[in-house]
Amino acid sequence: MPRVLFTDNLKRHMACPDADVPGGTVRAALDSVFETNPKLKSYLLDDQGRLRRHVNIFVASRMIGDRDGLSDAVQADDEIYVFQALSGG
């Protein structure tokens, strides 16, 4: 099963433990996480279900390409890293 991991910075703002979840796409894996943590969904996705501007996701060390549909493929042994992008100066 893919493993979804969240940065410590994100964990400071929202309860989001790392999780092994089923799913063949980023969307399916995140939906599995949202089943047990529904508040996290609105923190990561906008009201159209797209990845929020200041959130990035990497699968197997590569940034996903589909920020709108989250259709990037996920293999059973992949790690999905969810980052809250930092900005400011």
Side-chain angles (χ1 to χ4, degrees):
M1 267 190 229
R3 182 163 184 79
V4 181
L5 303 126
F6 300 93
T7 60
D8 289 339
N9 183 52
L10 187 57
K11 288 177 181 179
R12 272 186 256 152
H13 301 286
M14 177 71 57
C16 49
D18 299 341
D20 294 318
V21 297
T25 65
V26 171
R27 168 77 64 195
L30 287 179
D31 284 346
S32 294
V33 170
F34 299 149
E35 285 179 14
T36 59
N37 193 347
K39 286 185 177 182
L40 184 60
K41 183 175 184 175
S42 64
Y43 200 82
L44 300 179
L45 306 180
D46 66 17
D47 55 349
Q48 275 80 46
R50 298 177 299 219
L51 197 60
R52 289 194 180 276
R53 182 175 169 204
H54 294 293
V55 176
N56 290 319
I57 297 178
F58 287 75
V59 175
S61 302
R62 274 191 271 163
M63 188 182 302
I64 63 169
D66 182 8
R67 295 180 59 85
D68 294 333
L70 305 173
S71 64
D72 297 71
V74 175
Q75 303 301 315
D77 60 345
D78 278 342
E79 292 183 324
I80 302 165
Y81 292 96
V82 182
F83 293 83
Q84 182 180 18
L86 302 176
S87 62

Coordinates of all heavy atoms in Angstrom, one line a residue:
M1 N 0.8 -1.2 0.0 CA 0.0 0.0 0.0 C 0.9 1.2 0.0 O 1.9 1.3 0.7 CB -0.8 0.0 1.3 CG -2.2 -0.6 1.1 SD -3.2 -0.2 2.6 CE -3.8 -1.8 2.9
P2 N 0.5 2.3 -0.7 CA 1.2 3.5 -0.7 C 1.2 4.1 0.7 O 0.2 3.9 1.5 CB 0.5 4.4 -1.6 CG -0.4 3.6 -2.5 CD -0.7 2.3 -1.7
R3 N 2.2 4.9 1.1 CA 2.3 5.5 2.4 C 2.2 7.0 2.1 O 3.0 7.6 1.4 CB 3.6 5.2 3.1 CG 3.7 5.8 4.5 CD 4.8 5.0 5.2 NE 4.9 5.5 6.6 CZ 4.1 5.2 7.6 NH1 3.1 4.4 7.4 NH2 4.2 5.7 8.8
V4 N 1.3 7.7 2.8 CA 1.1 9.1 2.8 C 1.8 9.7 4.0 O 1.5 9.4 5.1 CB -0.4 9.6 2.7 CG1 -0.5 11.1 2.6 CG2 -1.1 8.9 1.6
L5 N 2.8 10.7 3.7 CA 3.5 11.3 4.8 C 3.3 12.8 4.7 O 3.2 13.4 3.7 CB 5.0 11.0 4.6 CG 5.4 9.5 4.5 CD1 6.1 9.2 3.3 CD2 6.1 9.1 5.7
F6 N 3.3 13.4 5.9 CA 3.0 14.8 6.0 C 4.2 15.5 6.7 O 4.8 14.9 7.7 CB 1.8 15.1 6.8 CG 0.5 14.5 6.2 CD1 0.1 13.2 6.5 CD2 -0.2 15.2 5.2 CE1 -1.0 12.7 5.9 CE2 -1.3 14.7 4.6 CZ -1.7 13.4 5.0
T7 N 4.6 16.7 6.3 CA 5.7 17.4 6.9 C 5.4 17.8 8.4 O 4.2 18.0 8.7 CB 6.1 18.6 6.2 OG1 5.0 19.5 6.1 CG2 6.6 18.3 4.7
D8 N 6.4 17.9 9.2 CA 6.2 18.4 10.6 C 5.5 19.7 10.6 O 4.7 20.0 11.5 CB 7.5 18.4 11.3 CG 8.1 17.0 11.6 OD1 7.3 16.1 11.6 OD2 9.3 16.9 11.9
N9 N 5.9 20.6 9.7 CA 5.3 21.9 9.6 C 3.8 21.8 9.4 O 3.0 22.5 10.1 CB 5.9 22.8 8.5 CG 5.3 24.2 8.4 OD1 5.3 24.9 9.5 ND2 4.8 24.6 7.3
L10 N 3.3 20.9 8.6 CA 1.9 20.7 8.4 C 1.2 20.1 9.6 O 0.1 20.5 10.0 CB 1.7 19.9 7.1 CG 0.2 19.7 6.7 CD1 -0.4 21.0 6.4 CD2 0.2 18.8 5.4
K11 N 1.9 19.2 10.2 CA 1.4 18.5 11.4 C 1.2 19.5 12.6 O 0.4 19.3 13.5 CB 2.3 17.4 11.9 CG 2.3 16.2 10.9 CD 3.3 15.1 11.4 CE 3.2 14.0 10.4 NZ 4.2 12.9 10.8
R12 N 2.0 20.6 12.6 CA 1.8 21.7 13.6 C 0.5 22.4 13.5 O -0.1 22.8 14.5 CB 2.9 22.7 13.5 CG 4.1 22.3 14.3 CD 5.1 23.4 14.3 NE 6.2 23.0 13.4 CZ 6.9 23.8 12.7 NH1 6.8 25.1 12.8 NH2 7.8 23.3 11.9
H13 N -0.1 22.4 12.3 CA -1.3 23.1 12.1 C -2.6 22.2 12.0 O -3.7 22.7 12.2 CB -1.3 23.9 10.8 CG -0.1 24.9 10.8 ND1 -0.2 26.1 11.5 CD2 1.1 24.9 10.1 CE1 0.9 26.8 11.3 NE2 1.7 26.1 10.5
M14 N -2.3 21.0 11.8 CA -3.5 20.0 11.6 C -3.0 18.6 12.0 O -1.9 18.2 11.7 CB -3.8 20.0 10.1 CG -4.9 19.1 9.6 SD -6.5 19.5 10.1 CE -6.8 21.2 9.5
A15 N -3.9 17.9 12.7 CA -3.6 16.5 13.0 C -3.6 15.7 11.7 O -4.6 15.6 11.1 CB -4.6 16.0 14.0
C16 N -2.5 15.2 11.4 CA -2.4 14.4 10.1 C -1.3 13.4 10.2 O -0.2 13.6 9.7 CB -2.2 15.3 8.9 SG -0.9 16.5 9.0
P17 N -1.5 12.3 10.9 CA -0.5 11.2 11.1 C -0.2 10.6 9.7 O -1.1 10.5 8.8 CB -1.1 10.3 12.0 CG -2.6 10.5 12.0 CD -2.8 11.9 11.6
D18 N 1.0 10.1 9.5 CA 1.3 9.3 8.3 C 0.5 8.1 8.3 O 0.1 7.6 9.3 CB 2.8 9.0 8.3 CG 3.7 10.2 8.4 OD1 3.3 11.3 8.0 OD2 4.9 10.0 8.8
A19 N 0.2 7.6 7.0 CA -0.8 6.5 6.9 C -0.5 5.7 5.7 O -0.1 6.2 4.6 CB -2.2 7.0 6.8
D20 N -0.6 4.4 5.9 CA -0.6 3.4 4.7 C -2.0 3.3 4.2 O -2.9 3.0 5.0 CB -0.1 2.1 5.2 CG 1.4 2.2 5.6 OD1 2.2 2.8 4.9 OD2 1.7 1.6 6.6
V21 N -2.3 3.6 3.0 CA -3.6 3.6 2.5 C -3.7 3.0 1.1 O -2.7 2.9 0.4 CB -4.2 5.1 2.3 CG1 -4.2 5.8 3.7 CG2 -3.3 5.9 1.4
P22 N -4.9 2.5 0.7 CA -5.0 1.9 -0.6 C -5.2 3.1 -1.6 O -5.5 4.2 -1.3 CB -6.3 1.1 -0.5 CG -7.1 1.8 0.5 CD -6.1 2.3 1.5
G23 N -4.9 2.8 -2.9 CA -5.1 3.8 -3.9 C -4.1 3.7 -5.0 O -3.0 3.5 -4.8
G24 N -4.6 3.8 -6.3 CA -3.8 3.7 -7.4 C -3.4 5.1 -8.0 O -2.7 5.2 -8.9
T25 N -4.0 6.2 -7.4 CA -3.7 7.5 -7.8 C -3.6 8.4 -6.6 O -4.0 8.0 -5.5 CB -4.9 8.2 -8.7 OG1 -6.0 8.3 -7.9 CG2 -5.1 7.4 -9.9
V26 N -3.0 9.6 -6.7 CA -2.9 10.5 -5.6 C -4.3 10.8 -5.0 O -4.5 10.8 -3.8 CB -2.2 11.8 -6.0 CG1 -2.2 12.8 -4.9 CG2 -0.7 11.5 -6.4
R27 N -5.3 11.0 -5.9 CA -6.6 11.3 -5.4 C -7.2 10.2 -4.6 O -7.7 10.4 -3.5 CB -7.5 11.5 -6.6 CG -9.0 11.6 -6.3 CD -9.5 12.9 -5.7 NE -9.3 13.9 -6.6 CZ -9.4 15.2 -6.3 NH1 -9.7 15.6 -5.0 NH2 -9.2 16.2 -7.1
A28 N -7.0 8.9 -5.0 CA -7.6 7.8 -4.3 C -6.9 7.6 -2.9 O -7.5 7.3 -1.9 CB -7.4 6.5 -5.1
A29 N -5.6 7.8 -2.9 CA -4.8 7.7 -1.7 C -5.3 8.8 -0.7 O -5.5 8.5 0.5 CB -3.3 7.8 -1.9
L30 N -5.4 10.0 -1.2 CA -5.8 11.1 -0.3 C -7.3 10.9 0.2 O -7.6 11.2 1.3 CB -5.7 12.5 -1.0 CG -4.3 13.0 -1.2 CD1 -4.3 14.3 -1.9 CD2 -3.5 13.1 0.2
D31 N -8.1 10.5 -0.7 CA -9.5 10.2 -0.3 C -9.6 9.2 0.8 O -10.4 9.3 1.8 CB -10.3 9.7 -1.5 CG -10.7 10.8 -2.4 OD1 -10.6 12.0 -2.0 OD2 -11.2 10.5 -3.6
S32 N -8.7 8.2 0.8 CA -8.6 7.2 1.9 C -8.2 7.9 3.2 O -8.7 7.6 4.3 CB -7.6 6.1 1.6 OG -8.1 5.3 0.5
V33 N -7.3 8.9 3.1 CA -6.8 9.6 4.3 C -8.0 10.5 4.8 O -8.3 10.5 6.0 CB -5.6 10.5 4.0 CG1 -5.3 11.5 5.1 CG2 -4.4 9.6 3.7
F34 N -8.7 11.1 3.9 CA -9.8 12.0 4.3 C -11.0 11.3 4.9 O -11.7 11.9 5.7 CB -10.3 12.8 3.1 CG -9.3 13.7 2.4 CD1 -9.4 13.9 1.0 CD2 -8.3 14.2 3.1 CE1 -8.4 14.7 0.4 CE2 -7.3 15.1 2.5 CZ -7.4 15.3 1.2
E35 N -11.1 10.0 4.7 CA -12.2 9.2 5.3 C -12.0 9.2 6.8 O -13.0 9.2 7.5 CB -12.2 7.7 4.8 CG -12.7 7.6 3.4 CD -12.7 6.2 2.9 OE1 -12.5 5.2 3.7 OE2 -12.9 6.0 1.7
T36 N -10.8 9.1 7.3 CA -10.5 9.1 8.7 C -10.2 10.5 9.3 O -10.1 10.7 10.5 CB -9.4 8.2 9.1 OG1 -8.2 8.5 8.4 CG2 -9.8 6.7 8.7
N37 N -9.9 11.5 8.4 CA -9.6 12.8 8.8 C -10.2 13.9 7.8 O -9.5 14.5 7.0 CB -8.0 13.0 8.7 CG -7.5 14.2 9.4 OD1 -8.3 15.1 9.7 ND2 -6.2 14.2 9.6
P38 N -11.5 14.1 7.9 CA -12.2 14.9 7.0 C -11.8 16.4 7.0 O -11.9 17.1 6.0 CB -13.7 14.7 7.3 CG -13.7 14.1 8.6 CD -12.4 13.4 8.8
K39 N -11.4 16.9 8.2 CA -10.9 18.3 8.3 C -9.7 18.6 7.4 O -9.5 19.7 6.9 CB -10.6 18.7 9.7 CG -11.8 18.8 10.6 CD -11.4 19.3 12.0 CE -12.6 19.6 12.8 NZ -12.2 20.1 14.1
L40 N -8.9 17.6 7.2 CA -7.7 17.7 6.5 C -8.0 18.1 5.0 O -7.3 18.8 4.3 CB -6.8 16.5 6.6 CG -5.5 16.5 5.9 CD1 -4.6 17.6 6.4 CD2 -4.8 15.1 6.0
K41 N -9.1 17.6 4.5 CA -9.5 17.8 3.1 C -9.5 19.2 2.7 O -8.9 19.7 1.8 CB -10.8 17.1 2.8 CG -11.2 17.2 1.3 CD -12.4 16.3 1.0 CE -12.7 16.4 -0.5 NZ -13.9 15.5 -0.8
S42 N -10.3 20.0 3.5 CA -10.4 21.4 3.2 C -9.1 22.2 3.5 O -8.9 23.3 2.9 CB -11.5 22.1 4.0 OG -11.3 22.0 5.4
Y43 N -8.2 21.7 4.2 CA -6.9 22.3 4.4 C -6.0 22.1 3.2 O -5.2 23.0 2.9 CB -6.3 21.7 5.7 CG -5.2 22.6 6.3 CD1 -5.5 23.7 7.1 CD2 -3.9 22.3 6.1 CE1 -4.6 24.5 7.7 CE2 -2.9 23.1 6.6 CZ -3.2 24.2 7.4 OH -2.3 25.0 8.0
L44 N -6.1 21.0 2.6 CA -5.3 20.7 1.4 C -5.9 21.0 0.1 O -5.2 21.3 -0.9 CB -4.9 19.2 1.4 CG -4.1 18.7 2.6 CD1 -3.9 17.2 2.5 CD2 -2.8 19.4 2.9
L45 N -7.2 20.8 0.0 CA -7.9 21.0 -1.3 C -8.9 22.2 -1.3 O -9.5 22.5 -0.2 CB -8.7 19.8 -1.7 CG -7.9 18.4 -1.7 CD1 -8.8 17.3 -2.1 CD2 -6.7 18.5 -2.6
D46 N -9.1 22.9 -2.4 CA -10.1 23.9 -2.5 C -11.5 23.4 -2.7 O -11.6 22.1 -2.7 CB -9.7 25.0 -3.5 CG -9.7 24.4 -5.0 OD1 -10.4 23.4 -5.2 OD2 -9.2 25.1 -5.8
D47 N -12.5 24.2 -2.8 CA -13.8 23.7 -2.9 C -14.1 23.0 -4.2 O -15.2 22.4 -4.4 CB -14.8 24.9 -2.6 CG -14.7 26.1 -3.5 OD1 -13.6 26.2 -4.2 OD2 -15.5 26.9 -3.5
Q48 N -13.2 23.1 -5.2 CA -13.4 22.3 -6.4 C -12.6 21.0 -6.4 O -12.5 20.3 -7.4 CB -12.9 23.1 -7.7 CG -14.0 24.0 -8.2 CD -14.1 25.3 -7.4 OE1 -13.1 25.9 -7.1 NE2 -15.3 25.7 -7.1
G49 N -11.9 20.7 -5.3 CA -11.2 19.5 -5.1 C -9.8 19.6 -5.7 O -9.1 18.6 -5.8
R50 N -9.3 20.8 -6.0 CA -7.9 21.0 -6.5 C -7.0 21.3 -5.4 O -7.4 21.8 -4.4 CB -7.9 22.1 -7.5 CG -8.8 21.9 -8.7 CD -8.8 23.1 -9.6 NE -9.3 24.3 -8.9 CZ -10.1 25.2 -9.4 NH1 -10.4 25.2 -10.6 NH2 -10.5 26.2 -8.6
L51 N -5.7 20.9 -5.6 CA -4.7 21.2 -4.6 C -4.6 22.7 -4.4 O -4.5 23.4 -5.3 CB -3.4 20.6 -5.1 CG -2.3 20.3 -4.1 CD1 -2.8 19.4 -3.0 CD2 -1.1 19.8 -4.7
R52 N -4.6 23.1 -3.1 CA -4.4 24.5 -2.8 C -3.1 25.0 -3.2 O -2.1 24.2 -3.4 CB -4.6 24.7 -1.3 CG -6.0 24.5 -0.9 CD -6.3 25.1 0.5 NE -7.6 24.9 1.0 CZ -8.6 25.7 0.6 NH1 -8.4 26.8 -0.1 NH2 -9.9 25.5 1.0
R53 N -3.0 26.3 -3.5 CA -1.8 26.9 -4.1 C -0.6 26.7 -3.2 O 0.5 26.5 -3.8 CB -2.1 28.4 -4.2 CG -1.0 29.2 -4.8 CD -1.5 30.6 -4.9 NE -0.4 31.5 -5.3 CZ -0.3 32.7 -5.1 NH1 -1.3 33.4 -4.5 NH2 0.8 33.4 -5.4
H54 N -0.7 26.7 -1.9 CA 0.5 26.6 -1.1 C 0.7 25.2 -0.5 O 1.3 25.0 0.5 CB 0.4 27.6 0.1 CG 0.5 29.0 -0.4 ND1 1.6 29.5 -1.0 CD2 -0.5 30.0 -0.5 CE1 1.4 30.8 -1.3 NE2 0.1 31.1 -1.0
V55 N 0.2 24.2 -1.3 CA 0.4 22.8 -0.9 C 1.1 22.1 -2.1 O 0.7 22.3 -3.3 CB -0.9 22.1 -0.6 CG1 -0.7 20.6 -0.3 CG2 -1.6 22.7 0.6
N56 N 2.1 21.3 -1.9 CA 2.8 20.5 -2.9 C 2.8 19.1 -2.5 O 2.8 18.7 -1.3 CB 4.2 21.0 -3.1 CG 4.3 22.3 -3.7 OD1 3.6 22.7 -4.6 ND2 5.2 23.2 -3.2
I57 N 2.7 18.2 -3.5 CA 2.7 16.8 -3.3 C 3.8 16.1 -4.2 O 3.9 16.5 -5.4 CB 1.4 16.1 -3.5 CG1 0.3 16.7 -2.6 CG2 1.5 14.6 -3.4 CD1 -1.1 16.1 -2.8
F58 N 4.6 15.3 -3.6 CA 5.6 14.5 -4.4 C 5.3 13.0 -4.2 O 5.0 12.6 -3.1 CB 7.0 14.8 -3.8 CG 7.5 16.2 -4.1 CD1 7.1 17.3 -3.5 CD2 8.5 16.3 -5.1 CE1 7.6 18.5 -3.7 CE2 9.0 17.6 -5.4 CZ 8.6 18.7 -4.7
V59 N 5.5 12.3 -5.3 CA 5.3 10.9 -5.3 C 6.7 10.3 -5.8 O 7.1 10.7 -6.9 CB 4.2 10.4 -6.3 CG1 4.2 8.9 -6.3 CG2 2.8 10.9 -5.8
A60 N 7.3 9.5 -5.0 CA 8.6 8.9 -5.3 C 9.6 10.0 -5.8 O 10.2 9.9 -6.8 CB 8.4 7.8 -6.4
S61 N 9.6 11.0 -5.0 CA 10.6 12.1 -5.2 C 10.3 13.0 -6.4 O 11.2 13.8 -6.8 CB 12.0 11.6 -5.2 OG 12.3 10.9 -4.0
R62 N 9.1 12.9 -7.0 CA 8.8 13.7 -8.1 C 7.5 14.5 -7.8 O 6.5 13.9 -7.4 CB 8.5 12.9 -9.4 CG 9.9 12.7 -10.1 CD 9.6 12.1 -11.5 NE 9.6 10.7 -11.3 CZ 9.1 9.8 -12.2 NH1 8.5 10.3 -13.3 NH2 9.1 8.6 -11.9
M63 N 7.5 15.8 -8.1 CA 6.3 16.6 -7.9 C 5.2 16.1 -8.8 O 5.5 15.8 -10.0 CB 6.6 18.1 -8.1 CG 5.4 19.0 -7.7 SD 5.6 20.7 -8.0 CE 7.0 21.1 -7.1
I64 N 4.0 16.1 -8.3 CA 2.9 15.6 -9.2 C 2.6 16.6 -10.3 O 2.9 17.8 -10.1 CB 1.6 15.4 -8.4 CG1 1.1 16.6 -7.7 CG2 1.8 14.3 -7.3 CD1 -0.3 16.5 -7.1
G65 N 2.1 16.1 -11.4 CA 1.8 17.0 -12.5 C 0.4 17.5 -12.6 O 0.1 18.6 -13.1
D66 N -0.5 16.7 -12.0 CA -2.0 17.1 -12.1 C -2.4 17.6 -10.7 O -2.9 16.9 -9.9 CB -2.8 15.8 -12.4 CG -4.2 16.1 -12.6 OD1 -4.7 17.3 -12.6 OD2 -5.0 15.1 -12.7
R67 N -2.4 18.9 -10.6 CA -2.8 19.6 -9.3 C -4.3 19.7 -9.3 O -4.9 20.0 -8.2 CB -2.1 21.0 -9.2 CG -0.6 20.9 -9.0 CD 0.0 22.3 -8.9 NE -0.5 23.0 -7.8 CZ -0.1 22.9 -6.5 NH1 0.9 22.1 -6.2 NH2 -0.6 23.6 -5.6
D68 N -5.0 19.6 -10.4 CA -6.4 19.7 -10.4 C -7.2 18.4 -10.2 O -8.0 18.3 -9.3 CB -6.9 20.3 -11.8 CG -6.4 21.7 -12.0 OD1 -6.2 22.4 -11.1 OD2 -6.3 22.1 -13.2
G69 N -6.8 17.4 -10.9 CA -7.5 16.1 -10.7 C -6.8 15.1 -9.8 O -7.3 14.1 -9.4
L70 N -5.5 15.4 -9.5 CA -4.7 14.5 -8.7 C -4.7 13.1 -9.2 O -4.7 12.1 -8.5 CB -5.2 14.5 -7.2 CG -5.3 15.9 -6.6 CD1 -5.9 15.8 -5.2 CD2 -3.9 16.6 -6.5
S71 N -4.6 13.0 -10.6 CA -4.6 11.7 -11.2 C -3.3 11.0 -11.4 O -3.2 9.9 -12.0 CB -5.3 11.9 -12.6 OG -4.4 12.7 -13.4
D72 N -2.2 11.6 -10.9 CA -0.9 10.9 -11.0 C -1.0 9.5 -10.4 O -1.5 9.3 -9.3 CB 0.2 11.8 -10.2 CG 0.3 13.1 -10.9 OD1 -0.6 13.9 -10.7 OD2 1.4 13.4 -11.5
A73 N -0.4 8.6 -11.1 CA -0.4 7.2 -10.7 C 0.5 7.0 -9.4 O 1.5 7.6 -9.2 CB 0.2 6.3 -11.8
V74 N 0.1 6.0 -8.6 CA 0.8 5.7 -7.4 C 0.9 4.2 -7.4 O 0.0 3.4 -7.6 CB 0.0 6.1 -6.1 CG1 0.6 5.6 -4.9 CG2 -0.2 7.6 -6.1
Q75 N 2.2 3.7 -7.1 CA 2.5 2.3 -7.0 C 2.3 1.9 -5.6 O 2.4 2.7 -4.6 CB 3.9 2.0 -7.5 CG 4.1 2.5 -8.9 CD 3.2 1.8 -9.9 OE1 3.0 0.6 -9.9 NE2 2.6 2.6 -10.8
A76 N 2.2 0.6 -5.4 CA 1.9 0.0 -4.0 C 3.0 0.4 -3.0 O 2.8 0.6 -1.8 CB 1.8 -1.5 -4.1
D77 N 4.3 0.5 -3.5 CA 5.4 0.8 -2.6 C 5.8 2.3 -2.6 O 6.8 2.6 -2.0 CB 6.6 -0.1 -2.9 CG 7.1 0.1 -4.3 OD1 6.4 0.7 -5.1 OD2 8.2 -0.4 -4.6
D78 N 5.0 3.2 -3.2 CA 5.4 4.6 -3.3 C 5.1 5.3 -2.0 O 4.2 4.9 -1.2 CB 4.5 5.3 -4.4 CG 5.1 5.1 -5.7 OD1 6.3 4.8 -5.9 OD2 4.4 5.3 -6.7
E79 N 5.9 6.3 -1.7 CA 5.6 7.3 -0.6 C 5.1 8.6 -1.2 O 5.7 9.1 -2.2 CB 6.9 7.5 0.2 CG 7.3 6.3 0.9 CD 8.6 6.5 1.8 OE1 9.5 7.2 1.4 OE2 8.6 5.9 2.9
I80 N 4.1 9.1 -0.7 CA 3.4 10.3 -1.1 C 3.7 11.3 -0.1 O 3.2 11.2 1.1 CB 1.9 10.1 -1.3 CG1 1.6 9.0 -2.3 CG2 1.2 11.4 -1.8 CD1 0.2 8.5 -2.3
Y81 N 4.5 12.4 -0.4 CA 4.9 13.4 0.5 C 4.0 14.6 0.3 O 3.9 15.2 -0.8 CB 6.3 13.8 0.4 CG 7.3 12.7 0.8 CD1 7.8 11.8 -0.2 CD2 7.6 12.5 2.1 CE1 8.7 10.8 0.2 CE2 8.5 11.5 2.5 CZ 9.0 10.7 1.5 OH 9.9 9.7 1.9
V82 N 3.3 15.1 1.4 CA 2.5 16.3 1.3 C 3.2 17.4 2.1 O 3.5 17.2 3.3 CB 1.1 16.0 1.9 CG1 0.2 17.2 1.8 CG2 0.4 14.8 1.2
F83 N 3.4 18.5 1.4 CA 4.1 19.6 1.9 C 3.2 20.9 1.9 O 2.5 21.1 1.0 CB 5.3 20.0 1.1 CG 6.4 19.0 1.0 CD1 6.4 17.9 0.2 CD2 7.5 19.2 1.8 CE1 7.4 17.0 0.1 CE2 8.6 18.2 1.8 CZ 8.5 17.1 0.9
Q84 N 3.4 21.7 3.0 CA 2.8 23.0 2.9 C 3.9 23.9 2.5 O 4.9 24.0 3.2 CB 2.2 23.4 4.3 CG 1.6 24.7 4.3 CD 1.0 25.1 5.7 OE1 1.4 24.5 6.7 NE2 0.2 26.0 5.8
A85 N 3.8 24.5 1.4 CA 4.8 25.4 0.8 C 4.9 26.6 1.7 O 3.9 27.1 2.2 CB 4.5 25.8 -0.6
L86 N 6.1 27.0 2.0 CA 6.4 28.2 2.8 C 6.6 29.4 1.9 O 7.2 29.3 0.9 CB 7.6 28.0 3.7 CG 7.5 26.8 4.7 CD1 8.8 26.6 5.4 CD2 6.4 26.9 5.6
S87 N 6.1 30.5 2.3 CA 6.3 31.7 1.5 C 6.5 32.9 2.5 O 6.4 32.8 3.7 CB 5.1 32.0 0.6 OG 4.0 32.2 1.4
G88 N 6.9 34.0 2.0 CA 7.2 35.2 2.8 C 8.6 35.5 2.8 O 9.4 35.0 2.0
G89 N 9.0 36.5 3.6 CA 10.4 36.9 3.5 C 10.8 37.5 4.8 O 10.2 37.6 5.8

